[in-house]
Amino acid sequence: MSFGCKCGGELNSKLDALLDRYRGQPSALIQVLHQAQELYGYLPRKVLQRVAGALNVPLSQVYGVVSFYSFFTIHPKGKHQISVCKGTACYVRGAGQLLDRIKEELGLKPGETTEDGQFSLEVVRCLGACGLGPVITVDEDVHARVQPERMSDILAAYRQ
Amino acid sequence: MSLVTLTIDGRQVQVPPGTTILAAARQAGVKIPTLCYLEELNVIGACRLCLVQVEGARALVAACVTQVGEGMVVHTNSPAVRQARRLNLELLMSNHPQECLTCVRNTSCELQQLAAELGVGEIRLQGEMSPYEVDDSSPSIIRDPRKCVLCRRCVAVCEKVQGVSAIAVQERGFDTVVAPAFLAPLGEVNCVNCGQCSLVCPTAAIHERDETDKVWAALADPEKHVVVQTAPAVRVSIGEMFGLEPGSIVTGKLVAALRRLGFDKVFDTDFTADLTIMEEGSELIHRLQNGGRLPLITSCSPGWIKFIEHFYPNLLPNLSTCKSPQQMFGTLAKTYYAQKEGIDPVRIFVVSIMPCTAKKYEAGRPEMTSSGYRDVDVVLTTRELGRMLKQAGIDFESLPEEDYDAPLGISTGAGVIFGATGGVMEAALRTAYELVTGATLLSLDFEEVRGLEGVKEASVNLAGTELKVAVAHGLGNARKVLDAVVNKEREYHFIEIMCCPGGCIGGGGQPVPVDNEIRAKRIAAIYQVDRQMPLRKSHENPAVQALYREFLGEPLSHKSHELLHTHYTPRERF
């Protein structure tokens, strides 16, 4: 397996157990996908093929569900998840510049992961902290009133 | 059962409860436009072109998914209805390429037809165009998502009729697209190339790969000796391309038309259908008598072959090793016929006219070169041939009736019934019975294996042995039979499977539209051709007898195996 999974063997046996639990139950598709993504951090092609086979759902339909819901991803997530709020308040207070800055720093566009697997970037709408805009979150941490020039330091703190 | 009474456009209509407004209107002779609707298969109310006004309802309702109610008053032609339908159509057209003049479905496109019927006089709305490109990865089927109206009819057929689900609806919002998983190219997934999607697509978003240019080029090349074979089903369907009634038998005109196009010889796949019976019938008898793997399953239908390779690879040893009649023909054209006529096989160019898109894939399979050359050079569907004839300015209806050329054009009624579901089985039974019992069959008609029932079973007494047979058409029905065999719920000796509903007459390369009424008419025509043939048993075909005498030796001989038999490739399920 690629990065994002610490131990292919352990994860795969967990997937086996998960699939055994729902074998032959097409209606369990979404919850199985949820749990599989929890295991792997994303939904690799091989995992989707195994889910399709076990639940007896055509792969085209499994992919249809995965590509419909933005929660699901077929791309490996980085170790750290950067979410930039582009809700109205954050947007007018400079979220766009933050995204530009992240692109400069990490070469990342929304939906992508850095090649070293450290960071993934996504855009979210309204984190419910409009007064603190522009807001970004990195993993569970909320960073308020972020100025573009602070971005380097913020990211450095997560880099190892 | 008490009927529901409702009023449609001022007229009282009585229908059973549960009937949709659409069906009730049709019964009353009122036409409501539809696009996404496909009877019994795709009833989703998505396109909103069948909107009607129901008095007392909050908004316009989709007639295809709304059931009638007692006392309901429906208006199908009010200003509000007309305006809403037209706007919805304009929205569907707003991202549709305005390429009608050069489109493969020009004059047979439902969107075009609706634009005319609903009176869309100008293009008012120009939307952003689809971000997806044409997928021409498949040898059989071209996907053009730019022309897709997302009606999902193809998805419904692929899933519900064929049980394949090679394609589904992917992504969402403006990015929504009908495609394989991971948006993979169609040529790289478990698509079986049956082309049923292309039969139901209302536009040119899914259509056959057009290879008419290759045939025009070969016909114009004086170095080439161009021979053509016509599949059984084409003679009862190509008339529809020229406005004839479904089920019109146009065998003689078809032969005449092909001569006028410039083919050097016009031959018949029915000849190698008879040959298939000799080989496959012998294979069945051999397996029965030597404890071979049973049930034996027919191998004529290339969509079915790719299906079993993907979905039931464990059953591949059950498949007959016989090549399909198309491929047997190609091989013999470049060996037997070449020798007999003293023509260098390098110069021979074999064209097939098939009701089938999967035949294009079959002809290109790497193993199909046992003549030492590509056995079949180009496969054209019925639709492509129809277009060629129109381009050539041939007035099909006024053509005289002409006969096929000898020897590869000589056939029996057993060959022609390959075109209908149950036909291969019936042809095989006619021959197997006489070969095994040595007696003459009194009645040639095995009615139990005919018709549009999804799975048919019969049992035939072969010299004291009860031969149990099954026939399935449409891959969803094939699954039922195979699962019953795998789960040991049923035991058969011999199974015929055809990929497409109705058999080859309902093939994915046939004229559009196709429904069960049209399938039944084409099938009736096939059996009529059979009845009118002087010979109706494959083993009585004099040209086939001569072929064995002069060239092959006997059925299942070493030479037969080399030229007429093949092998299969297990493939991934996804």
Side-chain angles (χ1 to χ4, degrees):
Chain A
M1 282 287 153
S2 57
F3 59 81
C5 48
K6 291 151 211 118
C7 168
E10 188 195 330
L11 280 180
N12 288 338
S13 59
K14 282 187 177 165
L15 181 67
D16 289 340
L18 173 65
L19 296 182
D20 278 339
R21 201 151 62 245
Y22 294 101
R23 196 164 294 279
Q25 296 178 42
S27 58
L29 179 60
I30 287 183
Q31 63 197 95
V32 170
L33 290 173
H34 263 281
Q35 293 178 45
Q37 181 160 302
E38 213 162 90
L39 280 177
Y40 290 86
Y42 71 113
L43 292 166
R45 179 185 286 247
K46 282 258 180 305
V47 169
L48 293 184
Q49 285 172 340
R50 294 205 47 212
V51 169
L55 272 58
N56 205 16
V57 179
L59 185 62
S60 59
Q61 290 176 13
V62 172
Y63 187 77
V65 169
V66 169
S67 62
F68 182 86
Y69 292 107
S70 58
F71 174 81
F72 294 124
T73 173
I74 58 165
H75 300 296
K77 288 281 181 182
K79 201 167 161 195
H80 303 290
Q81 175 69 44
I82 308 168
S83 303
V84 176
C85 180
K86 239 178 143 184
T88 310
C90 290
Y91 183 73
V92 299
R93 293 169 83 161
Q97 282 111 294
L98 295 185
L99 282 170
D100 290 344
R101 191 57 174 250
I102 293 169
K103 191 175 178 189
E104 268 171 43
E105 293 271 335
L106 300 174
L108 270 190
K109 282 184 292 195
E112 292 179 348
T113 299
T114 52
E115 275 180 26
D116 62 5
Q118 285 290 317
F119 293 102
S120 295
L121 175 63
E122 66 173 355
V123 167
V124 296
R125 303 286 156 181
C126 198
L127 290 164
C130 304
L132 303 177
V135 176
I136 72 167
T137 61
V138 181
D139 301 333
E140 305 295 313
D141 308 329
V142 178
H143 299 269
R145 298 208 177 95
V146 181
Q147 300 300 309
E149 49 278 12
R150 271 179 59 208
M151 198 53 83
S152 271
D153 292 341
I154 291 174
L155 295 175
Y158 295 92
R159 230 191 271 273
Q160 286 178 342
Chain B
M1 186 173 52
S2 61
L3 295 176
V4 174
T5 304
L6 69 159
T7 308
I8 300 179
D9 296 343
R11 267 182 296 173
Q12 285 220 333
V13 186
Q14 286 202 319
V15 291
T19 307
T20 62
I21 295 176
L22 179 67
R26 282 184 181 176
Q27 186 188 312
V30 173
K31 186 178 173 188
I32 295 175
T34 58
L35 181 61
C36 68
Y37 176 79
L38 200 57
E39 197 172 351
E40 288 180 18
L41 289 175
N42 201 48
V43 187
I44 58 176
C47 73
R48 318 307 287 178
L49 292 186
C50 66
L51 291 178
V52 295
Q53 199 169 1
V54 174
E55 285 186 13
R58 189 177 50 82
L60 301 180
V61 300
C64 70
V65 290
T66 308
Q67 294 185 2
V68 296
E70 183 60 43
M72 197 181 241
V73 180
V74 179
H75 302 281
T76 75
N77 190 27
S78 66
V81 165
R82 281 200 308 273
Q83 192 190 357
R85 285 178 188 164
R86 192 186 303 172
L87 180 61
N88 289 342
L89 182 60
E90 287 183 88
L91 287 166
L92 281 171
M93 290 166 59
S94 71
N95 69 344
H96 193 83
Q98 310 294 330
E99 300 173 358
C100 297
L101 289 180
T102 52
C103 181
V104 67
R105 290 293 295 273
N106 188 18
T107 73
S108 68
C109 169
E110 290 180 36
L111 196 65
Q112 197 180 43
Q113 184 75 28
L114 283 164
E117 284 174 10
L118 270 58
V120 178
E122 58 174 325
I123 304 291
R124 289 192 300 154
L125 312 170
Q126 287 270 26
E128 197 178 325
M129 303 303 275
S130 159
Y132 299 102
E133 287 174 7
V134 174
D135 172 7
D136 65 354
S137 60
S138 158
S140 300
I141 312 280
I142 308 288
R143 276 179 58 238
D144 188 350
R146 301 173 311 137
K147 294 181 178 170
C148 179
V149 294
L150 299 174
C151 69
R152 292 154 167 81
R153 281 157 48 164
C154 53
V155 174
V157 165
C158 194
E159 179 190 356
K160 294 176 188 167
V161 176
Q162 298 298 54
V164 171
S165 288
I167 48 173
V169 180
Q170 314 296 355
E171 307 291 337
R172 71 166 164 177
F174 190 76
D175 292 330
T176 305
V177 64
V178 172
F182 300 97
L183 310 186
L186 198 60
E188 294 172 17
V189 300
N190 57 6
C191 168
V192 303
N193 305 306
C194 72
Q196 288 296 313
C197 52
S198 72
L199 283 183
V200 298
C201 181
T203 71
I206 300 184
H207 59 88
E208 69 284 357
R209 176 183 288 277
D210 187 304
E211 297 182 278
T212 54
D213 281 351
K214 294 179 191 168
V215 178
W216 285 123
L219 289 171
D221 183 346
E223 289 304 303
K224 289 234 156 53
H225 180 77
V226 190
V227 304
V228 63
Q229 58 169 323
T230 64
V234 178
R235 71 204 65 198
V236 298
S237 63
I238 193 163
E240 292 165 42
M241 295 287 293
F242 302 94
L244 299 181
E245 270 297 297
S248 300
I249 299 168
V250 293
T251 320
K253 289 184 192 300
L254 173 62
V255 173
L258 291 165
R259 283 220 178 90
R260 275 151 188 72
L261 279 183
F263 286 100
D264 293 300
K265 293 283 177 183
V266 182
F267 291 138
D268 199 352
T269 316
D270 292 16
F271 167 79
T272 34
D274 280 334
L275 183 62
T276 299
I277 290 302
M278 297 306 295
E279 292 291 324
E280 200 164 284
S282 304
E283 190 182 7
L284 174 64
I285 293 167
H286 182 83
R287 289 197 193 196
L288 285 169
Q289 291 174 348
N290 296 281
R293 176 112 164 200
L294 293 171
L296 178 70
I297 313 180
T298 58
S299 57
C300 308
S301 167
W304 149 241
I305 296 299
K306 192 154 183 275
F307 179 83
I308 185 175
E309 288 177 333
H310 281 294
F311 296 98
Y312 293 88
N314 295 338
L315 293 181
L316 285 175
N318 291 74
L319 269 189
S320 163
T321 59
C322 287
K323 284 183 184 174
S324 72
Q326 156 171 286
Q327 292 305 131
M328 286 192 186
F329 179 93
T331 308
L332 290 177
K334 295 193 180 183
T335 54
Y336 173 64
Y337 171 73
Q339 271 178 34
K340 206 174 159 75
E341 298 295 312
I343 303 169
D344 183 350
V346 164
R347 290 181 50 226
I348 298 181
F349 193 88
V350 176
V351 176
S352 307
I353 311 299
M354 294 284 142
C356 181
T357 46
K359 287 281 172 195
K360 290 174 181 277
Y361 173 84
E362 179 185 57
R365 289 176 78 114
E367 64 272 22
M368 293 299 175
T369 54
S370 38
S371 64
Y373 306 89
R374 180 57 47 198
D375 293 336
V376 171
D377 292 285
V378 177
V379 177
L380 298 182
T381 58
T382 313
R383 297 195 290 269
E384 286 166 274
L385 177 64
R387 293 202 292 270
M388 275 186 89
L389 296 178
K390 285 177 186 172
Q391 285 167 30
I394 290 172
D395 181 8
F396 193 79
E397 249 188 293
S398 68
L399 287 171
E401 310 264 327
E402 294 183 9
D403 288 328
Y404 284 102
D405 288 307
L408 306 189
I410 296 172
S411 66
T412 73
V416 80
I417 58 176
F418 269 55
T421 167
V424 177
M425 176 61 67
E426 181 165 343
L429 291 177
R430 290 179 189 174
T431 286
Y433 181 88
E434 297 206 349
L435 293 188
V436 170
T437 63
T440 303
L441 201 53
L442 292 177
S443 165
L444 291 183
D445 301 331
F446 290 85
E447 295 288 346
E448 309 98 300
V449 297
R450 297 185 180 182
L452 282 170
E453 186 71 36
V455 176
K456 295 164 279 186
E457 294 177 310
S459 119
V460 180
N461 193 320
L462 265 193
T465 314
E466 229 18 54
L467 189 73
K468 289 187 197 152
V469 305
V471 172
H473 56 114
L475 295 172
N477 292 321
R479 264 186 197 280
K480 289 180 198 162
V481 171
L482 297 178
D483 289 342
V485 168
V486 170
N487 299 330
K488 305 205 183 305
E489 292 155 15
R490 279 279 197 284
E491 259 188 59
Y492 303 111
H493 299 103
F494 191 29
I495 301 174
E496 177 204 292
I497 293 180
M498 290 296 156
C499 174
C500 291
C504 306
I505 51 92
Q510 291 281 60
V512 287
V514 178
D515 56 28
N516 266 349
E517 197 184 317
I518 292 173
R519 289 187 188 101
K521 286 181 179 168
R522 292 178 186 164
I523 288 174
I526 284 279
Y527 288 110
Q528 190 183 333
V529 176
D530 169 36
R531 275 196 305 279
Q532 291 167 348
M533 295 292 275
L535 296 175
R536 296 180 62 201
K537 292 173 261 184
S538 297
H539 55 285
E540 292 178 351
N541 183 330
V544 168
Q545 290 168 351
L547 170 67
Y548 279 112
R549 213 165 44 236
E550 297 167 10
F551 189 67
L552 292 172
E554 55 185 7
L556 308 183
S557 70
H558 181 69
K559 198 157 193 175
S560 293
H561 266 292
E562 220 167 64
L563 296 178
L564 307 182
H565 291 253
T566 187
H567 58 272
Y568 307 104
T569 311
R571 298 171 200 272
E572 297 288 323
R573 182 169 162 202
F574 300 121

